[in-house]
């Protein structure tokens, strides 16, 4: 840990911010059916925009937030982001047209983007070693706890009407007040006067863009499951309607465990964590491809959640070790944008696959995901083997 002394309340507040990382998705995705009934003339594409619209703003503003952190205190940026997030998130409750809803959903993305990268940057600045790994793993767990709780809560709130779930964004305002009291001040990191070969250059290292791609692909594969679970269960006659919520919440719920065990798992497996995680991810989709019962589907979802859940904290930790302190704010802004890029790209990639192959069956999509992840497992395994043969690369990986 850094020289700055942190209270338990400080640590609690830092870990509370990731509660709203994917809040804008988990609150709104379950209500689309009711929104469609409220606006019967709306197209399927317009209804899908209600869910994904924030991502169009959150992706660039995640990068912008990283750049702003070079000039302004990260605590103040998070507070402003939470304020925009909460107010814009609540406003659709008062809207009367779908276009009004879409506008405020877009504005919501500005707040989301400002909140997304900065907790990781604060953790990388204030913690080191195992403590940093534990904290970064915990952020993923907290985000998934929120996802599970939201999915359950919104189901009950939706009985009041499609507008009422938007009031859940009041949580962002409440977290803002906690952040005002509990977040430690994190002013911009001073640029070191002298620079060596490793720290030279104005931009972030090229590896940051590789990590951005890694993050986006992980969440894209994860989204293929989450976005299609309900329709898959209905078309394949798996389980009862009330079981759909359980199935959707399982991957996120198991990812909580992934975040908790990440530090120990990482220290035991080191660079092999990546191929092992992707392999578990792939097995989950293999099981999903062959499933014809709710119990087997639950097993598949658990495997998908555990495998995919180990990768974000690994990527975030690697960002902190590969990027110098003065460039971490920008780096985290870029890398964490991959979370929403993955969610946003998922439906478009799925549409592209069905257009090229002519196959629209969800089971076939799961089979393609399994094949893709198996290929990624093999590639990552050979990359690790190559690193192990190169002492210089191995030291750098450590």
């Amino acid at each position: 840990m850094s020289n700055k002394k942190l209270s338990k309340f400080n640590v609690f507040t830092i870990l509370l911010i990731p509660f709203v990382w994917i809040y804008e998705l988990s609150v709104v995705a379950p209500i689309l059916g009711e929104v469609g009934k409220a606006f019967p003339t709306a197209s399927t594409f317009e209804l899908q925009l209600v869910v994904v619209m924030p991502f169009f703003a959150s992706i660039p503003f995640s990068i912008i937030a990283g750049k702003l952190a070079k000039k302004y205190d990260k605590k103040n940026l998070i507070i402003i982001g939470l304020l925009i997030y909460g107010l814009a998130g609540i406003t659709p409750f008062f809207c009367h047209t779908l276009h009004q809803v879409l506008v405020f959903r877009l504005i919501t993305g500005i707040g989301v983007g400002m909140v997304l990268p900065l907790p990781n940057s604060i953790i990388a600045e204030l913690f080191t070693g195992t403590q940093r790994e534990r904290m970064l793993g915990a952020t993923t767990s907290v985000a998934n706890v929120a996802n599970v709780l939201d999915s359950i809560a919104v189901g009950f709130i939706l009985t009041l009407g499609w507008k009422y779930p938007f009031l859940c964004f009041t949580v962002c305002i409440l977290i803002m007040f906690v952040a005002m009291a509990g977040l430690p001040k994190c002013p911009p990191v001073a640029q070191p006067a002298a620079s060596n070969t490793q720290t030279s250059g104005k931009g972030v290292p090229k590896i940051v863009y590789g990590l951005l791609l890694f993050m986006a692909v992980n969440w894209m594969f994860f989204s293929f499951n989450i976005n299609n679970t309900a329709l898959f269960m209905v078309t394949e006659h798996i389980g009862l309607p009330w079981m759909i919520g359980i199935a959707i919440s399982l991957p996120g719920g198991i990812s909580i465990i992934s975040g908790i065990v990440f530090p120990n798992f990482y220290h035991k497996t080191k660079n092999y964590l990546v191929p092992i995680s992707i392999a578990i991810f792939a097995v989950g989709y293999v099981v999903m491809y062959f499933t014809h019962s709710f119990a087997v589907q639950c097993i598949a979802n658990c495997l998908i959640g555990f495998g995919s859940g180990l990768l974000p904290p690994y990527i975030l930790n690697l960002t902190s070790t590969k990027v110098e302190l003065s460039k971490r704010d920008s780096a985290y802004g870029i890398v964490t944008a991959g979370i929403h890029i993955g969610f946003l790209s998922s439906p478009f990639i799925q549409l592209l696959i069905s257009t090229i192959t002519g196959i629209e069956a969800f089971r076939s999509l799961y089979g393609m995901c399994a094949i893709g992840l198996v290929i990624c497992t093999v590639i990552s395994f050979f990359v690790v083997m190559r690193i192990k043969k190169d002492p210089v690369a191995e030291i750098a990986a450590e």
Side-chain angles (χ1 to χ4, degrees), residues 21-35:
W21 272 0
I22 52 177
Y23 199 73
E24 82 292 347
L25 174 71
S26 56
V27 169
V28 177
I31 75 172
L32 278 194
E34 295 301 317
V35 174

Side-chain angles (χ1 to χ4, degrees), residues 91-114:
T91 305
F93 177 82
F94 304 99
C95 292
H96 300 288
T97 69
L98 188 60
H99 289 162
Q100 291 174 341
V101 173
L102 292 176
V103 169
F104 284 105
R105 288 290 288 160
L106 182 66
I107 297 173
T108 301
I110 296 175
V112 176
M114 292 186 66

